[in-house]
Amino acid sequence: MAVSCHENKNHVQTEGKKRVLLMGNPNVGKSVIFSTLTKKRVITANYSGTTVTAMKGELVQAKPEAVLIDVPGIYSLKPVSKAEEAAMTMLNEGADVIICVLDATNLERNLQLALELKRKETPVIFLLNMMDVAEKKGIQIDDKKLSSLLQAPVIPTVAVKRKGFNRLIAEINKVISGREHGKQAPLTDAMPPVLIGEEVQTYIEYEESWTDKWERWTIQPKTGLPIAILAVLLALAFVVGAGKAVRSVFFLPLLNNYYIPFMERLAGNWTTEGTALYSVLVGEFGVLIKAVEWPIALILPYVFLFYIVLSFLEDSGYLPRLGILIDGLLRRFGLHGHSIIPISMGYGCAVPAIIGTRAASSLKERLIISALVSLAVPCIAQTGAFIALLGDHSFVLLLAVFLVSFFVMFISGAVLNKFLKGTLDPVLIEVPNLLVPSASALWKKVMMRTKHFMIEAEIPMVFGILFAALTIETGALTHVSFILEPLVVSFLGLPPEASVALILGVVRRELAVLPLLGMDLSLAQMFVGSVVALLYIPCMSVFFVLIKEFRIKWALSISAATIILAFVVGGMANYLIHFFQWMALGGGF
Amino acid sequence: MKNEGLCKLACATVCRVKKLPDCPLLEGLGIEVGTEFCIKQKSPWRGPIVVETKGRRQLAIDYHIASQFEVEEVNGGVLSRK
């Protein structure tokens, strides 16, 4: 290990490499900077809480070699939530240089952390990010003056457009090679942030731009609420419509005309039709067919399209604005306006949604969001399965399943809000700017999320399908499912085979729906089956995340509650439908 | 002396803080005694009040906290722009 010339205990090296910390307030573009400066990619989003655990990556073009550590976004060094505690730990482990990102549109607020960091012994390089947005808002900043007031280099940047990075890399190399500590000098008696702000900023009159107009429209009630409803409907129409189009134009013909006949011929070479092996391979639940059809032809298009929508909403800064607008409403159901972010993520996958609740500071809020996401928010794979099952028959039924989801979410939220101890945090946040997301960052993020989902989530699915193929096609299931059968057949009114869906639903949420596809169900049965699947047990990955994030007690309670609710609501739906059918037939009169 | 907080002020009112509610987080947001801001939006269902401060920053303040502010109306200044 190389020996540094001025070793002290604040000067820890990482495997002999220099340590560079990337710090700043939440939502200042740190994650974009991190992914630009390292080869390793990180998910970036236009709201606080994406980076709860620190990411490390090799700093590109660093001489000597250095590691860049992305520290969670914080407002000050006072430990208020988990994020500050984590940041303090990382800071105390030592660093060779700190890159502190400042939001140019919000300088005063950012200066608080800047001054606190500057009082530490470590050299600091300041980035004045989002210079383009500041200029659009008519804010001019004298970066040279700021640099002399802070006694450290200040580099103006536009991270999403990669402006200012060459100078940043040069400054980092200067400091870590020990050549020059730049304009670094200890800051003894700094001015308070407000005065520094006044000193370096000038405001010029400006015309309200389109962005300003949208910012106004999205936050004021009379335009904001219609925009929100329109946005949700557009998102749904885009995912469902484009997904169905891609499937019917591309995936299904490919599958039916080429893949299935090919596999059947292949299986025919090994064994003959009618044998158990043939059925396991290419029968009704044949593993060679379903393990490709379900995850790729059925789920993948929806996953991809959903992540386009979610990533766009995140990066544009729309979600926090919507959260502020409907905070008053959500509060009645035990949710904070900000909860809209983890819940929207939950429509993709519950795992990142539950991890994302770490940004919430009260346990009560975290538990409510996690419980609701596990219970009533279908993941995108399950939504894909719903579209496949119901969408082809009746769009109204599909919408009805989502209405049940909202209804259960609100009721459970209100109930949990009443019975869980603790209070909800008040809203006290900076309203983020709306921006047009950078297409390349968006694309990277969508690809990364889609890849992650398909690898992490769909591999257990293939095992589930193998299990289904073995149990159904060999008839072994009849020996397993007799316990569930009375419940499934007489209470829910579903065929006995449907119990396989419930058994598989433990593995993956969409597997609680997909087996119903080939069962020739009536519309009523499809609806009941979907409602049960929707509310039924969170999948295995979610269960483990719940244990990890909370305690096994909470994981078990949430799972038990979901199973009970699934059967109760499913049973109720079944009886209500039968009651209405009986009434419609003039029964009793 | 009137003490209605921010909740009863109309949108586009510019005011100066005279007394802060007991909430340490406000300082972190840069709101102190003497800070001037303009009421921008009031969210429905007793949702947060959105105010704009001098740096053209918009802040959302919880209804309950907003109601405990003590402020005085001021005229003119950079904030009174449309």
Side-chain angles (χ1 to χ4, degrees), chain A residues 266-522:
Chain A
L266 208 63
N269 287 342
W270 295 329
T271 174
T272 44
E273 202 174 332
T275 58
L277 179 64
Y278 186 87
S279 307
V280 168
L281 290 175
V282 291
E284 202 187 333
F285 278 92
V287 69
L288 288 178
I289 308 287
K290 297 299 169 197
V292 169
E293 182 187 343
W294 283 350
I296 296 174
L298 222 155
I299 305 297
L300 176 66
Y302 296 116
V303 172
F304 179 70
L305 293 166
F306 172 78
Y307 280 129
I308 291 180
V309 173
L310 180 72
S311 307
F312 181 85
L313 289 177
E314 277 179 357
D315 283 9
S316 63
Y318 176 64
L319 288 178
R321 303 180 79 87
L322 179 61
I324 291 165
L325 184 62
I326 60 172
D327 176 79
L329 182 66
L330 292 181
R331 252 163 216 281
R332 306 187 175 192
F333 304 104
L335 294 170
H336 191 278
H338 206 69
S339 320
I340 198 145
I341 290 160
I343 288 176
S344 324
M345 284 171 93
Y347 280 95
C349 174
V351 173
I354 291 168
I355 294 173
T357 62
R358 284 183 196 161
S361 49
S362 78
L363 178 68
K364 174 177 176 165
E365 200 182 321
R366 291 195 65 193
L367 273 172
I368 293 181
I369 301 172
S370 304
L372 295 188
V373 168
S374 312
L375 172 69
V377 176
C379 70
I380 184 61
Q382 197 181 33
T383 303
F386 285 146
I387 299 170
L389 180 68
L390 297 167
D392 290 341
H393 301 281
S394 152
F395 191 73
V396 179
L397 272 187
L398 183 64
L399 222 54
V401 171
F402 276 90
L403 283 180
V404 170
S405 152
F406 284 134
F407 192 66
V408 171
M409 198 155 42
F410 285 137
I411 303 258
S412 333
V415 170
L416 285 171
N417 186 29
K418 197 145 193 183
F419 290 105
L420 282 178
K421 279 189 216 113
T423 49
L424 286 180
D425 279 347
V427 179
L428 211 51
I429 57 161
E430 191 89 44
V431 185
N433 296 318
L434 270 188
L435 15 118
V436 180
S438 118
S440 71
L442 200 69
W443 178 249
K444 264 190 212 163
K445 191 164 164 177
V446 170
M447 290 315 279
M448 189 182 145
R449 283 180 152 166
T450 308
K451 205 171 105 192
H452 192 260
F453 191 96
M454 295 314 287
I455 294 170
E456 298 282 314
E458 298 309 307
I459 285 173
M461 183 172 173
V462 174
F463 286 104
I465 292 166
L466 186 63
F467 173 79
L470 287 174
T471 47
I472 298 179
E473 301 292 347
T474 58
L477 187 77
T478 42
H479 302 289
V480 189
S481 62
F482 72 96
I483 318 161
L484 283 168
E485 247 181 61
L487 202 61
V488 171
V489 177
S490 48
F491 186 61
L492 299 176
L494 296 172
E497 308 96 87
S499 41
V500 73
L502 292 178
I503 293 171
L504 288 174
V506 178
V507 185
R508 294 278 310 144
R509 273 182 124 163
E510 67 272 31
L511 285 182
V513 186
L514 290 172
L516 304 177
L517 274 173
M519 284 182 194
D520 264 334
L521 302 181
S522 68

Side-chain angles (χ1 to χ4, degrees), chain A residues 128-142:
Chain A
L128 202 50
N129 196 26
M130 306 205 223
M131 279 303 275
D132 54 338
V133 185
E135 264 164 44
K136 273 188 207 140
K137 296 206 156 212
I139 305 171
Q140 290 180 328
I141 301 174
D142 184 344

Side-chain angles (χ1 to χ4, degrees), chain A residues 105-106 109 112 137-139 198 203-204 206 219-221 324-325 327-329 331 426-431, chain B residues 23 25-29 41-48 50 54-62 65 81:
Chain A
T105 62
N106 189 2
R109 169 119 201 238
Q112 191 170 349
K137 296 206 156 212
I139 305 171
E198 271 173 19
Y203 300 103
I204 48 171
Y206 77 118
I219 204 122
Q220 70 187 16
I324 291 165
L325 184 62
D327 176 79
L329 182 66
R331 252 163 216 281
V427 179
L428 211 51
I429 57 161
E430 191 89 44
V431 185
Chain B
C23 177
L25 285 167
L26 281 169
E27 229 167 293
L29 275 174
Q41 284 308 327
K42 298 202 268 186
S43 309
W45 306 288
R46 299 191 157 215
V50 178
K54 219 179 85 193
R56 289 189 184 144
R57 309 157 49 207
Q58 297 198 338
L59 307 171
I61 303 173
D62 195 83
I65 295 177
R81 79 194 161 78

